[in-house]
Amino acid sequence: MRIKTTLLLSICLCIMTGCKKDNILELPITYHKGFSPFEASTGGAGLYIDDKYFKDKINPWKKTHLKVSGVPQNWTDAKVGHIQSDMERYVYQNYLLGDMSKEWYEQLQDMWN
């Protein structure tokens, strides 16, 4: 009986300390020049925008977007995206997976020399 009571109190304590009043999750990102081994030109951030402009246009990057699920319906103004540290590898891997057309892949290669 004593073990059950202790276990129940422990669970209640964990739940009470784990609850927060603030439901905002902020992830600070600070860029520092020369801080990492990646060149500034080989990285980037992508935000998955789902608006009329991108629905009407052919977006060659659309198939490369990560499949995201589980975002709560009651979240307001939620943004989904990714940060890329090696763009060339990202492009090559998505080309091998078939998520990027050969024409678009070759065009990117020409742009990057």
Side-chain angles (χ1 to χ4, degrees):
M1 183 69 177
R2 180 172 265 181
I3 293 175
K4 288 182 182 180
T5 305
T6 306
L7 181 61
L8 182 61
L9 286 174
S10 298
I11 291 173
C12 290
L13 182 62
C14 288
I15 291 173
M16 288 173 48
T17 58
C19 294
K20 293 180 1 177
K21 291 180 181 178
D22 189 8
N23 291 328
I24 297 174
L25 174 66
E26 293 183 14
L27 301 174
I29 298 176
T30 306
Y31 293 98
H32 298 280
K33 185 176 180 179
F35 185 71
S36 72
F38 305 112
E39 296 178 28
S41 63
T42 62
L47 185 63
Y48 305 151
I49 300 171
D50 190 26
D51 65 6
K52 186 178 185 316
Y53 175 78
F54 284 102
K55 285 182 181 177
D56 293 341
K57 303 292 181 188
I58 297 172
N59 184 353
W61 298 103
K62 181 71 173 172
K63 286 179 147 183
T64 67
H65 293 175
L66 299 172
K67 287 29 169 198
V68 179
S69 63
V71 178
Q73 294 294 323
N74 62 346
W75 280 16
T76 57
D77 200 28
K79 305 285 191 279
V80 178
H82 70 273
I83 296 175
Q84 197 54 256
S85 62
D86 189 347
M87 188 58 120
E88 287 87 357
R89 184 174 79 182
Y90 176 76
V91 167
Y92 180 66
Q93 288 175 337
N94 279 284
Y95 170 68
L96 290 179
L97 290 171
D99 293 336
M100 182 177 290
S101 70
K102 183 175 183 178
E103 294 78 25
W104 179 241
Y105 175 67
E106 289 174 350
Q107 185 178 354
L108 289 171
Q109 283 182 323
D110 288 341
M111 286 190 309
W112 294 335
N113 293 327

